[in-house]
Amino acid sequence: MKKIDMLTPIGILIGISMVVFGVISSGGMSGFLAFIDVPSILIVLGGVFGTLCVSFPLKQLKNMGRVGKQAFQSKDINVEEIVGTFVHLSEKARREGLLSLEAELEQIDDSFVKKGILLAIDGVEPEMIRELLEAEIAAVEERHARGRSMFEKAGDYAPAWGMIGTLVGLVLMLKSLNTPSSLGPNMAIALLTTFYGALLSNLFFQPIAAKLAGKTEHELFVKEVIIEGVIGLQAGQNSRFVQAKLKVFAPVEKRKLEEKREHVREA
């Protein structure tokens, strides 16, 4: 089940708040309003969007919003629950055979787990199961990398368009030296586009790309745990052996806590 990943909006809000606080504490509201310049914003956002249109096909760009949404969502994937599921399945498989696991599939929501168990039930060799499931992992990794690359490129392009806007503002300023009233607006464009480009890159595009990369890494890690569990099922391994093998994938803190509980129970 997906939940809101509060750290993403909180982090963005903190970054924006610090910038606003720094501006207002130094120049008051008038200083804050001086940092709002529509032409500068349009140069950066329009330039970034234009370069993304050149860099990526339309079909991929249409998914940018959906991909970015993943950075604001948290999928509840519990490694301990997965370990418990495979321990239960291995116990049942040893008692009643692999075919008995078909009745358990309706209670499993994860399609990757279902696919692995079906391969095990069908008697596919362990090497083939691993090869098929790892091929799916590679496909997931490639798909996520393509989606993430749009934010990575946007993070690269935003500062560059900030510099382009700065050059535009400087040229306009130099051409209007004889008109003092136009120096201020042109100087604003020259400086604020660099500010907007750096802010968008370092507070939005690059952090979202990093968050997406972390989520992909965790998802692939969980799928590797599932593969080991499926291989254990197919090989008919003892449930205690399956548990011991999969527990090494659990976080160190939780492993230590579980070991303490086992010592208490034994005592």
Side-chain angles (χ1 to χ4, degrees):
M1 181 179 177
K2 290 185 176 181
K3 300 180 292 185
I4 297 177
D5 186 346
M6 293 303 299
L7 280 178
T8 302
I10 287 174
I12 293 174
L13 183 60
I14 289 173
I16 293 174
S17 299
M18 291 302 99
V19 172
V20 172
F21 172 76
V23 172
I24 292 179
S25 63
S26 299
M29 282 303 299
S30 60
F32 174 73
L33 294 175
F35 276 77
I36 299 176
D37 187 74
V38 175
S40 298
I41 295 173
L42 292 178
I43 288 174
V44 175
L45 290 180
V48 169
F49 180 72
T51 49
L52 289 177
C53 289
V54 175
S55 303
F56 298 97
L58 179 61
K59 183 178 180 180
Q60 190 170 344
L61 279 177
K62 285 181 178 179
N63 293 326
M64 189 173 182
R66 181 179 59 81
V67 172
K69 186 179 177 182
Q70 302 303 315
F72 295 84
Q73 294 179 334
S74 177
K75 190 175 181 181
D76 195 9
I77 303 177
N78 193 312
V79 176
E80 290 74 27
E81 288 183 4
I82 293 174
V83 173
T85 297
F86 278 104
V87 169
H88 166 70
L89 293 175
S90 63
E91 290 174 348
K92 183 168 185 177
R94 284 178 66 84
R95 289 196 313 266
E96 305 173 26
L98 282 172
L99 289 176
S100 66
L101 300 183
E102 288 190 35
E104 301 285 333
L105 293 177
E106 295 180 358
Q107 303 175 18
I108 298 174
D109 297 327
D110 194 306
S111 60
F112 191 76
V113 175
K114 283 186 177 180
K115 181 176 181 178
I117 293 174
L118 284 173
L119 290 171
I121 292 173
D122 291 341
V124 179
E125 292 296 322
E127 295 79 7
M128 185 61 70
I129 291 177
R130 186 180 296 277
E131 183 177 341
L132 290 171
L133 295 181
E134 286 185 347
E136 183 167 335
I137 287 178
V140 170
E141 185 175 15
E142 173 63 24
R143 185 171 66 251
H144 287 193
R146 285 201 306 269
R148 188 172 66 248
S149 65
M150 291 184 287
F151 287 90
E152 291 172 341
K153 288 297 183 183
D156 293 337
Y157 294 146
W161 277 100
M163 291 302 299
I164 291 172
T166 295
L167 294 175
V168 170
L170 289 175
V171 169
L172 292 174
M173 185 181 68
L174 292 173
K175 291 186 69 175
S176 59
L177 289 177
N178 294 327
T179 311
S181 61
S182 65
L183 292 178
N186 291 334
M187 177 61 77
I189 293 177
L191 297 179
L192 288 178
T193 48
T194 297
F195 170 75
Y196 289 138
L199 189 66
L200 284 172
S201 176
N202 293 286
L203 188 58
F204 188 73
F205 293 128
Q206 294 289 6
I208 283 182
K211 176 60 74 73
L212 292 174
K215 289 180 180 291
T216 297
E217 184 178 347
H218 181 63
E219 182 178 344
L220 298 183
F221 168 76
V222 171
K223 290 184 183 300
E224 290 289 350
V225 177
I226 293 171
I227 290 177
E228 295 301 325
V230 171
I231 296 300
L233 278 180
Q234 204 278 342
Q237 294 173 350
N238 183 278
S239 60
R240 292 182 67 86
F241 179 78
V242 172
Q243 184 179 28
K245 182 173 71 172
L246 297 184
K247 276 175 64 176
V248 302
F249 293 100
V252 176
E253 296 80 5
K254 293 190 176 182
R255 292 212 311 266
K256 289 181 178 179
L257 180 60
E258 185 63 28
E259 288 172 0
K260 288 181 180 179
R261 288 175 179 171
E262 288 180 0
H263 289 318
V264 171
R265 285 195 293 266
E266 290 175 358

